[in-house]
Amino acid sequence: MFRQPVLLVIAHGSRDPRHAATVRALVRRVRSLRPGLRVETGFLDFNVPSAQGVLESLAAEGVRDVVALPLLLTRAFHAKADVPAVLRDAPRRLRIRRAEVLGPSPLLLSALERRLYEAGLTPADKSSTGVVLASAGSTDPEAIAVIADIAREWRHTGWCAVRPAFASASLPRTEDAVRELRALGCSTVAVAPYVLAPGFLPDRIARGAAGADVLGEVLGPSPEVARVLLERYDAARTPVLAAVGA
């Protein structure tokens, strides 16, 4: 009955209503890019429907194949613990393949750059602009190392300098990285939020960017992010990846 696996996007969830609205806008963009694909959304916390509830509903409908995609930028606690726990409790009749998290990806760097240009920078500003790559933060060393690697990679595309910063759990904070870039002599300082949707931590990033010249918007429902979702979906649905529980 269903010729291709359903894509279940599993988002973190937030008390901030902007978060769920942004996630749903992103999912609408994914559907627009691939009209024949069924895409559902479930949340780990705070919002409805829950990921567990969506999985149960799909099983009750008779769906057999699902690709579960964590709407996360790094493999931190939620990707390593929360999402696997939800999938372990899914109805047994479902064949679930788990997609990789979104980052890192060259498409996400393109989205970050476009957000900065939308906020007022131009390509001609690159060599004189220092950028703060501001993420939510994590206690997971792997996730922190990935953000540092992304900052180094992005620096090599022509920026004056790129420094990672974190809204929680790790240092430096956004405001500290802004000051560092000023001290380096960058003519312009920009803050690029490496977050998917608005909420408490993105608001903290914005406050920390008060001393910067430019603040980009969150990645949100950008076309690049939607394309990454479809890339992860396509990779997960191939037979070489084992199904959850196999």
Side-chain angles (χ1 to χ4, degrees):
M1 181 178 178
F2 299 96
R3 291 185 294 177
Q4 57 183 336
V6 172
L7 170 56
L8 171 60
V9 177
I10 302 179
H12 180 271
S14 171
R15 292 185 178 90
D16 189 321
R18 296 174 298 168
H19 175 91
T22 301
V23 169
R24 292 188 175 104
L26 173 59
V27 168
R28 286 194 297 271
R29 186 177 284 273
V30 172
R31 291 185 183 124
S32 73
L33 291 177
R34 193 168 296 181
L37 175 63
R38 180 175 177 182
V39 188
E40 300 290 342
T41 308
F43 296 89
L44 293 173
D45 205 354
F46 302 117
N47 302 109
V48 293
S50 68
Q52 184 66 37
V54 175
L55 288 167
E56 291 171 358
S57 295
L58 290 173
E61 282 182 38
V63 171
R64 293 298 306 277
D65 294 301
V66 175
V67 170
L69 192 155
L71 194 64
L72 302 166
L73 293 172
T74 60
R75 276 183 40 82
F77 179 80
H78 297 301
K80 293 178 179 179
D82 291 342
V83 171
V86 168
L87 300 185
R88 280 194 300 269
D89 291 339
R92 292 294 111 188
R93 67 175 289 118
L94 292 176
R95 291 190 294 256
I96 304 176
R97 295 181 178 89
R98 185 172 138 201
E100 293 295 328
V101 297
L102 302 186
S105 167
L107 284 169
L108 295 179
L109 285 180
S110 297
L112 286 167
E113 202 152 302
R114 188 163 59 80
R115 289 298 193 219
L116 292 179
Y117 294 151
E118 290 169 351
L121 290 181
T122 70
D125 298 321
K126 274 188 100 168
S127 62
S128 61
T129 299
V131 180
V132 178
L133 179 68
S135 74
S138 173
T139 57
D140 189 300
E142 178 187 349
I144 297 303
V146 166
I147 299 300
D149 288 344
I150 293 170
R152 283 192 291 271
E153 178 183 348
W154 203 15
R155 163 68 182 86
H156 294 150
T157 66
W159 297 102
C160 172
V162 180
R163 294 290 186 271
F166 308 95
S168 69
S170 308
L171 296 174
R173 295 286 184 257
T174 302
E175 53 268 34
D176 300 325
V178 168
R179 284 192 291 268
E180 181 184 351
L181 291 171
R182 291 279 187 218
L184 281 174
C186 298
S187 299
T188 302
V189 175
V191 173
Y194 190 58
V195 291
L196 287 166
F200 176 75
L201 293 178
D203 284 350
R204 181 179 286 178
I205 289 171
R207 290 193 297 272
D213 303 296
V214 174
L215 171 63
E217 292 290 333
V218 300
L219 293 171
S222 63
E224 297 91 346
V225 177
R227 286 169 58 196
V228 175
L229 263 72
L230 289 172
E231 285 185 357
R232 298 293 185 256
Y233 169 82
D234 289 336
R237 66 189 291 235
T238 57
V240 295
L241 293 182
V244 171

